[in-house]
């Protein structure tokens, strides 16, 4: 990677699309965040173009691409990873995938637990450095009331988690551009990058027609049929 090249960070795993530019050292230069509205394919690339114009950056000077890999919804993650890998391939730049869950946890000091949605009712439970675990809505002992003391961060779970956890979730999403850049820049500086062909998203709910589990992504699928 060109050590003087800037870095592009993308995340489409949550309901908020994050597009950010940073220095080779991971310092934030410019960022934009907006509601996805299920229009990722129409809005992501234009958002990248607007960011470059505001930051006065040029694609030929790009040093590497950082992309959040989830867990998250199918459409958003598919578009986000496809965009990141296409840019990296066309410009012959390295690409690094960072679990969005890891970046969210890193965005709140002292965070010990993250909750994410998995379908309309089920949830994913993620601890720092751990594999996301599916918690079905009807699983005994794992309802919201029983886990209030454990919940640290809750993202996209309005009405399904305590207000304090939701507030920390908003804090984590607001910091996502900074944490993605920091985590991704550290890997790139160490000469570490991902093979685009092996870089896959972690879906919170299985796409239609997919098998019930995918061990390579480390996420148990929600059994919620909706």
């Amino acid at each position: 990677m060109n050590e003087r090249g800037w870095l592009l960070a993308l995340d489409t795993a949550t309901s908020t699309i994050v597009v950010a530019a940073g220095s080779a050292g991971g310092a934030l230069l410019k960022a934009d965040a907006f509601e996805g509205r299920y229009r990722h394919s129409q809005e992501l690339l234009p958002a990248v173009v607007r960011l470059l114009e505001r930051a006065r950056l040029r694609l030929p000077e790009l040093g590497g691409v950082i992309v959040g890999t989830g867990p998250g919804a199918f459409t958003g993650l598919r578009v986000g990873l496809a965009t990141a890998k296409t840019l990296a391939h066309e410009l012959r730049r390295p690409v690094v995938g960072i679990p969005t869950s890891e970046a969210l946890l890193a965005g709140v000091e002292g965070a010990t637990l993250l909750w994410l949605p998995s379908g309309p009712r089920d949830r994913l439970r993620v601890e720092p450095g751990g594999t996301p675990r599916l918690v079905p809505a009807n699983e005994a002992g794992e309802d919201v009331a029983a886990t209030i003391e454990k919940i640290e961060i809750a993202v996209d779970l309005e009405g399904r988690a305590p207000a304090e956890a939701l507030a920390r979730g908003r804090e984590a999403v607001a910091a996502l551009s900074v944490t993605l850049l920091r985590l991704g820049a550290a890997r790139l500086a160490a000469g570490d990058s991902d093979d685009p062909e092996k870089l896959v998203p972690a879906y919170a709910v299985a796409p239609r027609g997919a098998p019930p589990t995918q061990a390579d992504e480390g996420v148990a699928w929600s059994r919620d049929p909706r």
Side-chain angles (χ1 to χ4, degrees), residues 38-210:
Y38 302 102
R39 291 171 52 85
H40 299 78
S41 59
Q42 295 99 323
E43 297 192 5
L44 184 56
L45 272 178
V48 172
V49 173
R50 290 194 301 271
L51 184 76
L52 266 62
E53 291 174 348
R54 287 170 48 212
R56 298 182 180 180
L57 295 170
R58 298 176 61 250
L59 275 179
E61 297 168 354
L62 177 68
V65 182
I66 303 161
V67 61
T69 59
F74 172 74
T75 300
L77 281 176
R78 179 178 56 84
V79 173
L81 263 77
T83 301
K85 292 195 285 188
T86 298
L87 286 170
H89 178 268
E90 292 300 317
L91 296 169
R92 297 184 181 180
R93 299 295 190 271
V95 60
V96 168
I98 301 293
T100 306
S101 54
E102 179 183 345
L104 289 169
L105 283 163
V108 177
E109 185 177 358
T112 59
L113 188 62
L114 168 68
W115 291 95
L116 297 167
S118 181
R121 296 180 300 173
D122 298 341
R123 291 166 292 138
L124 292 176
R125 183 182 192 277
V126 192
E127 297 181 44
T131 299
R133 182 173 72 83
L134 177 68
V135 180
N138 61 352
E139 183 173 307
E142 287 290 353
D143 58 18
V144 169
T147 58
I148 288 177
E149 295 302 319
K150 299 178 184 178
I151 292 178
E152 292 290 337
I153 303 175
V155 175
D156 292 338
L157 284 170
E158 283 69 16
R160 299 162 61 188
E164 295 86 352
L166 291 168
R168 284 189 288 267
R170 290 189 288 272
E171 179 185 346
V173 172
L176 197 50
S177 57
V178 173
T179 52
L180 275 176
L181 282 166
R182 175 166 56 82
L183 295 171
R187 284 190 55 192
L188 289 167
D192 183 19
S193 63
D194 288 304
D195 180 344
E197 294 185 5
K198 297 179 180 179
L199 184 58
V200 294
Y203 297 122
V205 179
R208 291 183 181 180

